[in-house]
Amino acid sequence: MFTLLAIPFLLLFGRASPHCIPNTFTFESSSGVSILNTSYYTAGDLVNITNLYSSIDTSSLPAFCRVELLITTNATANSTANTEVWLPDEWNGRYVGFGNGGLGGGVDVADLGFVAVMQGFAGMSTDTGHSSTALSGTWGGPHNDNAIIDWAYRALHLSVGFGKQVVQQYYGSATSKSYYLGCSTGGRQGLKEVQQFPEDFDGVVVGSPANWMSHLAPWSILVNLNVLPVDSPQWIPADMWTGLIHNEVLNQCDALDGVTDGILNDPRMCYFRPETLACRPGQNTSTCLNLAQINAIHQIYSPYYETNQTYIFAGYYPGGELGYPYGLVGPTPFEISGDYYRYFVLNDTTWNMTSLNYSVIQLGDELDPGMENAISPNITAFAGPGHNGKVLHYVGWADQIISPGNSLYYYETVHAFMQAESEMNIDDFYRLFTVPGMQHCKGGYGANAFGGSGQAAASMPPLSYDPQHNALAAMVAWVEEGIAPSSFVAAYYNNNTETDGVAFTRPLCKYPASIKYMGGDPNAATSFICA
């Protein structure tokens, strides 16, 4: 069986600590790149690093060299990005870049350690030119267009190239193949690389991409407005979502996939009727829904169309109610979407989301701040014969931040375009996998551990690092051996924590197939097929 370690040049390019010094790395003065610091960690050393976006605190990593770079992204504006490259002693000859999440600015030190170094890759990540939490966009304005461009694509693209130079100078050999792993904004960044810089990576693994920001932001605002203000007739408190509504969804639809297990394997098959929960006269209102709440649920679970039937975004799907009140239907507006309009589009710090209208949405489409949208269906330069790049895309059916319908929508636009405009077969270069029960990028109640971005850092590593269980290994096998993934075996750990043990395993199916129960132990992946 193929594994990440089954290549002849493993260990060949290893370097000991004397090489982990600034003098090892040289750049032309005109490049705008400088070495800020180098640090060498022996196997088992404490690695405790924190920034506003990411952190790592572990003694489980093998030996590696940490290189910190400062990259000039725009000399005229004097803008820079902090980028790190982590170089394991036991290098497998490959390179992997990592994306970010939300509007965050910080190197993804967690995936650099738990994914790159742990699996023998030379890893790279950048703060995209600013420092912030994932939710805050105040750094983007008013009128800080240069910072938005860095975040949208420029800092990552520049970091990819300079990171590869660091790798070559350290090991004395160029990378054999280059890969990418990211979810949410990281998924958007990965698709941006595919569409705009097709030579940067040979294979990208993207999860639930925020690739249509000019439509994602207004949709998430509208979803929230459907239940606000708190204490209005349409307001639905969290315990009603996680108890009353979720239980009724399961009552109506859980058994449709052949097994009653608290998971909807394909929520598209569920026509949820909240009317069954309508309050009778005199009934305790905490045990039923009023008419305004029923209407709100229908709106939330429906696609969002605007003026002239303009499609904006897909809706929530039934089955994710355990996470929805902590996503977009909570008591306070989702910070990212408000900041997107206040600091990226309108440059008006006083703008309130209740002012959202179609003209504001159109302005976001027109401006496309920083050219952040990554929605082009034409990926011929990446996937065509000149490059033969691969895309492995995954999304959780219970995503509480970005409708999984967005992933289906983008995949289908690529499918239609490439079929109409080329002789290529989408299965040869782009595969989408849906994850029942998984929330945004990770978590939720479902088999959600398969090597996706941020999963190992959240105590949910894959069961194995082979291609059957690990998305990054599957991508390596696809690119280097031509073995395309048809399904994965993912794990659900009790309490979403590896140390609490495996509760069950499930296959993850290649869209448009979904999981079907065939009988036997419902906790074993072998009891299910993709059909």
Side-chain angles (χ1 to χ4, degrees), residues 203-266:
V204 301
V205 181
V206 297
S208 193
N211 61 307
W212 204 0
M213 276 295 292
S214 63
H215 282 210
L216 169 60
W219 167 75
S220 65
I221 289 172
L222 181 78
V223 169
N224 202 194
L225 290 177
N226 279 315
V227 296
L228 292 182
V230 173
D231 296 330
S232 64
Q234 67 268 24
W235 169 246
I236 303 174
D239 58 355
M240 189 171 279
W241 282 107
T242 60
L244 179 72
I245 299 171
H246 184 63
N247 290 339
E248 182 61 15
V249 167
L250 295 181
N251 180 56
Q252 293 183 22
C253 300
D254 190 8
L256 294 177
D257 50 30
V259 60
T260 302
D261 58 358
I263 303 169
L264 303 190
N265 287 334
D266 189 344

Side-chain angles (χ1 to χ4, degrees), residues 26-44:
T26 59
F27 295 91
E28 297 290 338
S29 58
S30 59
S31 69
V33 179
S34 58
I35 301 294
L36 295 179
N37 190 39
T38 60
S39 309
Y40 184 77
Y41 295 84
T42 62

Side-chain angles (χ1 to χ4, degrees), residues 119-206:
Q119 298 181 47
F121 290 81
M124 180 281 301
S125 176
T126 176
D127 68 358
T128 71
H130 71 279
S131 177
S132 78
T133 65
L135 295 178
S136 176
T138 57
W139 53 267
H143 302 291
N144 196 359
D145 296 344
N146 191 63
I148 297 172
I149 293 170
D150 278 347
W151 168 80
Y153 69 89
R154 184 169 59 195
L156 176 60
H157 172 60
L158 292 173
S159 296
V160 171
F162 288 123
K164 290 178 180 179
Q165 292 184 39
V166 168
V167 171
Q168 180 156 5
Q169 291 178 30
Y170 188 70
Y171 294 114
S173 177
T175 60
S176 61
K177 294 292 182 180
S178 299
Y179 300 94
Y180 176 86
L181 181 67
C183 190
S184 195
T185 284
R188 179 193 63 77
Q189 290 169 305
L191 292 180
K192 191 71 172 177
E193 285 283 315
V194 165
Q195 296 164 23
Q196 192 164 336
F197 306 106
E199 298 296 324
D200 279 359
F201 296 106
D202 298 292
V204 301
V205 181
V206 297

